[in-house]
Amino acid sequence: MSDRTRGRRLLVRDLAQLATPSGTEAPLRGATLGSVDIVEGAYILCEDGRITAAGLMSDLGTLDGEVEELDGRGLSAVPGLVDCHTHACFAGDRVDEFELRATGASYEELHAAGGGILSTVRATRAAGEAGLAEALRRHRGWMRRAGTTTFEAKSGYGLDRETELASLRAIREAGGIATWLGAHAVPPEFADADAYLDFALAEVLPEAAQLAVAADVFLEEGAFDVVQARRYLEACRAAGLALRLHGDQFTEQGAIPLAIELGARSIDHLEATGDHGVRALSASDVVGVLLPTSAMFLDRPMPPARALADSGAAIALASDFNPGSSFCESLAIVSSLAVTQLHLTPAEALSACTVNPAQVLGRAREIGRIAPGFVADLVLLDATDWRYLSYHLGADLIASVIEGGDVTWSRDVG
Ligand code: NIG
Ligand code: FE
């Protein structure tokens, strides 16, 4: 609860629709993934930053005392969107590489030539802590305007002690949930990945573990192999961090079995995952995080989302917002691609942008649903049908964003 919302009541009234994932469990998988409760003609009452009631306008009794009202006519409400995979803490951009890719250079070639991730590492190190925090605040504003009320962000563009810890501090100060991506790439001052990990685990992990909730590793050819990933993740787990992996982005390197064995919260990307991986993941509690804007931005195959959903895997959607492989902060655009490219239904996409990413972040009991007791994080769409979230591709769709019962962005006032 912020000071602004303490003791305050906000009534969102006369909504055309309210839509929220059904039930109370998390993660949603199998038949429950696509189950959404819809109320036509709805209200939502927020008190002290939490939702205290929601339902039919016709059931709303008289409210005594002071209540601020928000007119929901012509709008529909969905839970505030939860982005569980971003690299929003970066300085600079990669627009030059973006242009080079159009003329034939591949993402992997740029990376191997010292560009790619390492070019953002140079810009991020050079920005200094204040410059980096300012860049992140700017990116956080973009995400908010796109309807994201909870965001995770990873370090991984510092890869030295000072900049990694500055990144994690900046993410927390911007209200984000911090992940230490200490194993993102090998910086040029180290001879190889093992020498870099010797340094990162001895010199950075002890403090990173105090600032971050989870650790993440890029397990891929040209980054970290499965032996190195295991070493990094086991050390991070021993330091109290939850585990995440970037796996099967370009090639299958054993990331899914490792994630399952170590009890990771999620494995993210999965564009290269084959049938065997789909079966293994579906039989596990590891959430598969799908990043369709990243696949599209790199002109790569889409992950096998339909096969994962049909076989009962727990899946989430995220933006992967970063300057190289997914310069897109909008979960509405992600939802649209989830329907048109991944063949999920709008309802499955909604659960995968709310309840299931909340589960990945360890917050599913308090965010991701419009229900009494949940944090009053809401997105009001400029549409009388909530499915416009995925239907109206790339549109000016978000009318208002409410965080903890506070209107933090509204199109009318900018
Ligand atoms: O998730 N694959 C590794 N990391 C990021 C890309 C980071 C970058 O290109 O700057 C990803 O796609
Ligand atoms: Fe990523």
Side-chain angles (χ1 to χ4, degrees), residues 85-87 154 181 184 216 246 268-269 291 320 322 325:
H85 182 141
T86 87
H87 303 254
K154 303 170 197 300
L181 180 50
H184 196 194
D216 199 344
H246 281 67
D268 306 39
H269 273 290
L291 311 165
D320 199 19
N322 76 75
S325 69

Side-chain angles (χ1 to χ4, degrees), residues 83-88 90 107 152 154 157 181 184 216 246 249 268-269 271 289-295 297-298 317-331 334:
D83 199 340
C84 68
H85 182 141
T86 87
H87 303 254
F90 64 88
Y107 180 80
E152 177 262 17
K154 303 170 197 300
Y157 291 127
L181 180 50
H184 196 194
D216 199 344
H246 281 67
Q249 182 177 11
D268 306 39
H269 273 290
E271 290 94 317
V289 178
L290 310 174
L291 311 165
T293 47
S294 176
F297 208 81
L298 295 185
L317 292 162
S319 70
D320 199 19
F321 174 44
N322 76 75
S325 69
S326 182
F327 195 51
C328 175
E329 68 281 7
S330 166
L331 285 174
V334 168

Side-chain angles (χ1 to χ4, degrees), residues 161-304:
R161 185 171 187 282
E162 190 187 336
T163 318
E164 283 294 300
L165 297 177
S167 300
L168 296 174
R169 282 192 294 268
I171 293 162
R172 286 166 61 113
E173 275 157 28
I177 297 174
T179 299
W180 183 46
L181 180 50
H184 196 194
V186 180
E189 59 272 23
F190 290 91
D192 57 34
D194 294 303
Y196 168 67
L197 288 181
D198 290 344
F199 154 79
L201 295 176
E203 305 292 331
V204 189
L205 172 59
E207 272 190 70
Q210 306 307 310
L211 296 167
V213 167
D216 199 344
V217 55
F218 184 20
L219 172 41
E220 187 55 71
E221 259 171 33
F224 296 87
D225 68 22
V226 71
V227 175
Q228 291 153 349
R230 173 190 293 279
R231 176 185 171 206
Y232 172 80
L233 291 172
E234 283 180 342
C236 291
R237 186 174 61 178
L241 292 169
L243 306 183
R244 319 259 322 250
L245 291 87
H246 281 67
D248 293 4
Q249 182 177 11
F250 300 105
T251 54
E252 289 186 288
Q253 298 282 331
I256 289 180
L258 184 65
I260 294 170
E261 184 199 323
L262 297 182
R265 285 223 184 128
S266 76
I267 177 162
D268 306 39
H269 273 290
L270 305 175
E271 290 94 317
T273 300
D275 294 346
H276 193 72
V278 167
R279 277 196 298 278
L281 200 57
S282 303
S284 81
D285 288 329
V286 181
V287 178
V289 178
L290 310 174
L291 311 165
T293 47
S294 176
M296 186 186 71
F297 208 81
L298 295 185
D299 195 17
R300 304 283 309 169
M302 288 287 160

Side-chain angles (χ1 to χ4, degrees), residues 292-293 296 302-303 305-306 317 331-349 387-394:
T293 47
M296 186 186 71
M302 288 287 160
R306 194 65 262 163
L317 292 162
L331 285 174
I333 292 176
V334 168
S335 296
S336 192
L337 295 181
V339 176
T340 62
Q341 309 300 305
L342 302 184
H343 310 295
L344 301 182
T345 65
E348 289 172 329
R387 293 173 298 179
Y388 272 54
L389 178 65
S390 49
Y391 173 50
H392 204 168
L393 174 57

